[in-house]
Amino acid sequence: MSPSALDTRASYLAQTHRKRLYSGIMLVLLVAMLCGGFITADERNAGGFWDGLPHVLDFPAEVLGEAAQKITLLPAHLVAFFPSLVETINIAAAATLAGAIAAVFLALLSTRGLARWPRMIPVFRRMSDIMRAIPEIVIALVLIFILGGGPVPAMIAIAFHTVGALGKLFSEVTENADLKPVEGLGSVGASWMQRMWLGVIPQVSPNFISYALLRFEINIRASAILGFVGAGGIGYDLRNAISWGQGKYDEAAAIFILLFLAIVAVDQLSSLLRNKLVGDTK
């Protein structure tokens, strides 16, 4: 083996060893942080994690036991809570639609080569980061304090977060768009909006719709969670059923079933649509 080959091999082995060393150090630090955080959380917990671990299945057992005893009331509960489920889905749909439309403009304004004001790209990207970083429940709590309870605060909170999340995803898609149609439209005097609508949107719309459908699934779950803080929908009914305790667990079980069936149905439908959209582009 030549000296240059030996040097190359030695350099490669040294880099591999160094990489493994750094990975090992990071793993040790991560485990130490996880253990430290768990110990701190367990000490501050009211009952202690290890003391409560044997009882983790007590609540599900109570719910299922009471639901089994009142199984004949299950169809009536499903019908009674179905309008709340529709409200939850409507909140998620409205928030997804409003957030996706705003995210399209935010993505186009923050993409190099397409932005209307190139110097403002960092500003729009930071806006997307901020909107994505604030949890929906925090926004909903603030809006509930200002506007009162109901579906409107939930819709605004989810839409706000959706703009940031989809804005990031949409911008990654637009960065890969072909600029030749945009340049051609610009050469004949098309405005910025016309260049985007005719030159970019037709290229990226399948991926845009695919990401929006994926976000719709997430927003249904978020809408149900926000119901626990008084934002309406089936989550509000679930909170009331659980808070009431024994005697209402059969209603909680019916709500769980409705949520499970709705999420599975939406997941399957949106997956089929996404596969069709992405498949058509290949």
Side-chain angles (χ1 to χ4, degrees):
M1 187 177 294
S2 64
S4 60
L6 291 174
D7 293 340
T8 301
R9 184 172 183 274
S11 176
Y12 172 76
L13 292 176
Q15 291 179 2
T16 303
H17 177 72
R18 187 161 52 250
K19 182 178 179 181
R20 289 177 179 175
L21 178 63
Y22 291 157
S23 299
I25 293 173
M26 292 299 297
L27 180 60
V28 171
L29 291 175
L30 177 61
V31 172
M33 291 175 62
L34 289 175
C35 292
F38 175 80
I39 293 172
T40 301
D42 186 54
E43 290 175 351
R44 296 182 179 179
N45 191 37
F49 175 78
W50 298 113
D51 296 334
L53 189 60
H55 306 286
V56 69
L57 297 179
D58 290 352
F59 177 72
E62 291 180 5
V63 173
L64 293 175
E66 186 168 332
Q69 294 175 1
K70 301 179 180 179
I71 190 66
T72 55
L73 299 178
L74 180 61
H77 290 329
L78 294 177
V79 173
F81 292 114
F82 185 76
S84 296
L85 176 64
V86 173
E87 183 181 14
T88 295
I89 295 176
N90 286 339
I91 292 172
T96 303
L97 180 60
I101 292 173
V104 170
F105 288 98
L106 185 62
L108 294 174
L109 292 171
S110 60
T111 302
R112 295 184 181 89
L114 299 177
R116 179 67 177 83
W117 304 286
R119 293 184 179 180
M120 295 291 291
I121 289 177
V123 176
F124 290 119
R125 290 190 174 184
R126 298 296 79 77
M127 286 176 56
S128 177
D129 294 339
I130 293 172
M131 299 174 80
R132 189 170 61 253
I134 302 177
E136 298 101 323
I137 193 168
V138 174
I139 305 171
L141 288 172
V142 174
L143 292 175
I144 288 172
F145 178 78
I146 299 173
L147 303 175
V152 174
M155 190 274 288
I156 297 175
I158 296 173
F160 185 87
H161 192 273
T162 298
V163 174
L166 289 182
K168 173 65 174 178
L169 296 173
F170 287 177
S171 64
E172 293 178 356
V173 174
T174 54
E175 286 177 353
N176 297 320
D178 187 4
L179 298 181
K180 291 181 180 179
V182 179
E183 295 170 353
L185 289 167
S187 65
V188 297
S191 64
W192 180 81
M193 182 63 70
Q194 290 172 331
R195 296 198 303 271
M196 297 302 103
W197 181 253
L198 300 175
V200 178
I201 297 301
Q203 299 183 56
V204 299
S205 57
N207 286 321
F208 276 13
I209 297 174
S210 176
Y211 282 130
L213 289 171
L214 179 61
R215 189 68 200 182
F216 176 54
E217 302 172 19
I218 299 172
N219 287 345
I220 291 178
R221 300 178 181 91
S223 178
I225 292 171
L226 292 184
F228 274 81
V229 297
I234 200 169
Y236 182 75
D237 293 329
L238 180 60
R239 187 194 68 172
N240 291 337
I242 293 177
S243 299
W244 186 273
Q246 290 185 348
K248 293 289 185 178
Y249 284 158
D250 56 323
E251 296 183 2
I255 293 172
F256 280 127
I257 293 173
L258 277 175
L259 274 174
F260 173 76
L261 294 177
I263 290 174
V264 169
V266 172
D267 284 351
Q268 293 298 319
L269 180 60
S270 60
S271 296
L272 290 174
L273 292 175
R274 287 201 308 273
N275 292 334
K276 180 176 176 58
L277 289 168
V278 176
D280 288 344
T281 62
K282 294 182 180 179

